[in-house]
Amino acid sequence: MSKNVTRFFAPIRKLLGCPAEARDHSRSVLLLQLENTEILARTLDKAAMSHLLVQLSMTLGRAVRPYDPVRVLSPGLFAFVLRNRTDRDAMQVAHRLHRQAQAPIALAGQTLTPVISGALVHADGSSLSGPDPARAHLPGPDLPPVETLIDNARRRLQDTPDGDLGQLRLYPYDTALAGAPLIVTIGEAIKAGQVEAWFQPQICCHSGSVTGFEALARWNHPTRGILAPGVFMPQMSDADHTALTHVMLQQSLTALKEWDDAGFCVPTVSVNISNHELSERGFADCLLWELDRHEIRPERLVIEVLESVGPVTSNADVRVNLRKMSKAGCHIDLDDFGTGYASLDAIRQFGIHRIKLDRSFVTGCDIDPGQQRMILAILALAERLGIAALAEGVETREEHAFLAQMGCDEVQGYAIARPMPLSATMDFLARHSAAAADLPSIARRI
C-alpha cells in the first residue's frame, strides 16, 4: 500500500515543488467509509452498486481542491490528505465532506442515503514525541508519512463501535497504533485464518429431509466480530475473489467429508462462484482436480452462479468452464433467479439443474397475491423445463407452507435455520434426524 500512496501523491508534490513532504508543518488524513453496504447490496444489483460507488467518488472528488485529492483506497473507502491546517480547520473540511458524502442519491428509481463513518487523524509538532535527527535539516516538524497516517485512520475506523457508525471523529496521531500490518482485505484475512465457511441448510418440501447446505463466507474480524459477505464483498478485488473462492471450496469439501464421517446424509454442498473465477481459463480443471483429491463425487458439489452469467454476457472461458463442470457431473444452480436478464438462455446452454428464487419474490408470498402469481409462474416454468426450484430467504413458517403447497421443491432461510459454523451443523443434523424419526407414520390399508 505504501508504494501506491507514494506514487499517487508524487505528481502533486512535483506540481507544488514539495520535496517528499518535507515542507508540511502539519498533516491530516481523513478516511470516509461506506458502512451500510450490506443493506444497499440487498436493495441494488451489482451494476447499481458499482454506479453508487462511482457516483460517491465523483461527488467527493468535486468537493475538494486539486491539491487535496480524493483517493479511493478500496470501493467505498475514500482518503483525503489535508496539509498545513490546524486540527480545527481540518475538521471543518472533514465535516463538509462528511455531509456531502451522506447526501441522498437518486439511483435505480429510488432515493438512497449512504451511511458514512469518518476518522480524521491529525499530526503536527505538538502531537509528536521528539524529533528525528535524520530530518533535522528539513523545515517543520518530523511528521509521519501519509501512508502511516492512513494506517492510523484505518485502525480508528476498525475500532468504531456499532453505535457510532455514521459519525465523524477527530483523533490525534497515535504512535501506539503503528504496529503490525493492518488486515484490511479478505485476501489478508484468509492468510490470517480469519475467514470461515458457515453453512445454511436446504430442506426438501416434500419429505422434509436435508438436501444440502449452502456455504456462506464469514469474516471473524478481530474488532468488529462476525461479518457477513454484504459488509466486505463490495470492497473486494479480483484477487480477493480468487482467494475467497479457493478457501470456501476447500472448507466445503472438508465439510462433506466430516458429515460423511459423522454418519449424516448430506447429499450436496453449494459454493458461490463469481464471474471472475468462471472467466479464468482452466478453472473447471482445477476444481475437478480438487474434487478428485478429496475423493468427492462431482454430483455432490453444487456450483452457484449469478443469473447474469449467460451466453450473451459471458466470454468463451466462462462457457467452457460451465460446460465442463456440468458434463463432469457437478450440479449448477442459477442464483437470484428473476433479477437478471439471461436466465432462459443460460438454462438451455449450460445445463442448469436448479433455479433459486430470489428472496424478493419470497417475502410475504403467503399474503401478497402479486408475489403468489409470480412464484406460480416461475414454478410452472421450472416444471416445464424439467429443473428443480429452491426458494431462498424463507423467513416464516407461513411462507414455507405456501411454497410447499405450490409445489416448490426446496426451501432455504431463517424459517429453517440461520447460517452456522460447521461444528453447529452436527447438532442441527442430529436434531433434524431425531425430529423426523418422531413423526407419526401412516398405516397402509390392507
Side-chain angles (χ1 to χ4, degrees):
M1 181 180 70
S2 60
K3 291 182 179 179
N4 292 333
V5 172
T6 303
R7 185 163 54 249
F8 177 80
F9 288 108
I12 307 299
R13 299 188 194 110
K14 184 177 180 181
L15 178 65
L16 299 177
C18 298
E21 305 176 350
R23 297 185 180 180
D24 289 347
H25 292 272
S26 69
R27 195 174 296 146
S28 307
V29 162
L30 169 66
L31 291 193
L32 295 178
Q33 177 171 275
L34 180 63
E35 297 289 2
N36 56 335
T37 51
E38 184 172 9
I39 296 173
L40 292 171
R42 292 179 182 175
T43 307
L44 305 172
D45 58 24
K46 290 194 173 182
M49 189 70 185
S50 299
H51 186 64
L52 170 66
L53 295 173
V54 170
Q55 201 163 337
L56 265 177
S57 302
M58 294 175 62
T59 298
L60 293 171
R62 290 192 296 263
V64 293
R65 298 175 294 187
Y67 46 87
D68 290 332
V70 57
R71 182 171 188 267
V72 182
L73 299 180
S74 63
L77 181 61
F78 309 94
F80 305 83
V81 178
L82 309 174
R83 302 176 184 278
N84 298 317
R85 289 179 171 88
T86 65
D87 55 356
R88 182 177 179 180
D89 291 340
M91 195 61 176
Q92 287 180 342
V93 175
H95 273 301
R96 175 172 57 83
L97 292 171
H98 187 242
R99 284 194 302 270
Q100 292 188 330
Q102 295 198 115
I105 295 176
L107 189 67
Q110 52 191 316
T111 301
L112 306 170
T113 302
V115 176
I116 306 289
S117 296
L120 177 67
V121 173
H122 179 78
D124 57 23
S126 63
S127 62
L128 303 173
S129 59
D132 182 353
R135 295 174 55 94
H137 64 289
L138 298 176
D142 180 16
L143 297 173
V146 167
E147 55 267 31
T148 302
L149 286 170
I150 289 177
D151 183 74
N152 221 253
R154 279 183 185 268
R155 293 175 184 272
R156 294 293 193 182
L157 279 177
Q158 287 206 345
D159 291 338
T160 301
D162 291 344
D164 289 343
L165 296 180
Q167 303 298 314
L168 173 66
R169 295 284 185 268
L170 170 65
Y171 304 95
Y173 171 68
D174 188 352
T175 56
L177 296 180
L182 185 66
I183 294 176
V184 295
T185 68
I186 277 292
E188 293 169 339
I190 289 170
K191 291 179 181 177
Q194 296 176 1
V195 174
E196 180 183 7
W198 283 28
F199 300 92
Q200 188 171 36
Q202 299 165 338
I203 301 295
C204 176
C205 289
H206 313 303
S207 66
S209 60
V210 174
T211 59
F213 283 89
E214 180 183 0
L216 301 165
R218 293 294 184 267
W219 181 353
N220 189 5
H221 197 281
T223 59
R224 299 178 65 185
I226 302 296
L227 302 181
V231 176
F232 56 80
M233 288 199 76
Q235 289 82 31
M236 285 172 54
S237 65
D238 288 345
D240 291 332
H241 276 289
T242 299
L244 183 61
T245 297
H246 179 75
V247 73
M248 291 298 290
L249 181 61
Q250 295 295 323
Q251 294 189 28
S252 297
L253 297 182
T254 299
L256 278 175
K257 298 292 287 185
E258 293 199 19
W259 290 322
D260 289 348
D261 293 342
F264 294 114
C265 178
V266 179
T268 64
V269 65
S270 303
V271 179
N272 291 273
I273 305 296
S274 74
N275 295 4
H276 172 70
E277 280 71 54
L278 290 173
S279 300
E280 290 185 352
R281 185 168 299 177
F283 172 78
D285 294 325
C286 294
L287 182 142
L288 294 174
W289 182 84
E290 286 292 339
L291 286 169
D292 185 64
R293 187 171 71 88
H294 284 83
E295 298 181 338
I296 299 291
R297 298 191 311 277
E299 60 268 23
R300 299 190 67 189
L301 178 65
V302 178
I303 305 298
E304 290 199 12
V305 298
L306 290 174
E307 189 180 26
S308 57
V309 178
V312 175
T313 57
S314 58
N315 59 32
D317 289 322
V318 171
R319 295 192 288 272
V320 169
N321 282 325
L322 284 172
R323 288 169 182 156
K324 186 171 290 188
M325 290 185 292
S326 180
K327 186 177 180 180
C330 295
H331 288 193
I332 299 178
D333 277 5
L334 203 56
D335 201 8
D336 297 339
F337 186 86
T339 61
Y341 50 85
S343 306
L344 295 180
D345 221 10
I347 291 171
R348 180 175 62 87
Q349 297 251 10
F350 299 143
I352 301 297
H353 293 82
R354 183 173 63 183
I355 57 174
K356 297 187 73 176
L357 280 72
D358 186 73
R359 59 184 161 194
S360 61
F361 297 122
V362 173
T363 302
C365 64
D366 57 309
I367 56 175
D368 187 337
Q371 297 283 69
Q372 293 171 2
R373 287 192 294 270
M374 185 65 70
I375 288 175
L376 287 171
I378 295 174
L379 294 179
L381 175 65
E383 183 180 9
R384 296 292 292 177
L385 293 173
I387 58 178
L390 182 150
E392 57 183 348
V394 180
E395 297 191 354
T396 68
R397 292 179 178 271
E398 291 76 16
E399 291 170 356
H400 184 184
F402 172 80
L403 290 162
Q405 290 169 4
M406 293 302 104
C408 187
D409 299 292
E410 299 163 67
V411 291
Q412 172 185 345
Y414 289 177
I416 310 302
R418 293 176 176 268
M420 63 193 82
L422 176 59
S423 58
T425 64
M426 302 298 180
D427 293 335
F428 170 83
L429 289 167
R431 292 194 307 271
H432 192 80
S433 298
D438 289 339
L439 290 176
S441 60
I442 300 176
R444 294 180 59 185
R445 291 185 179 180
I446 300 176

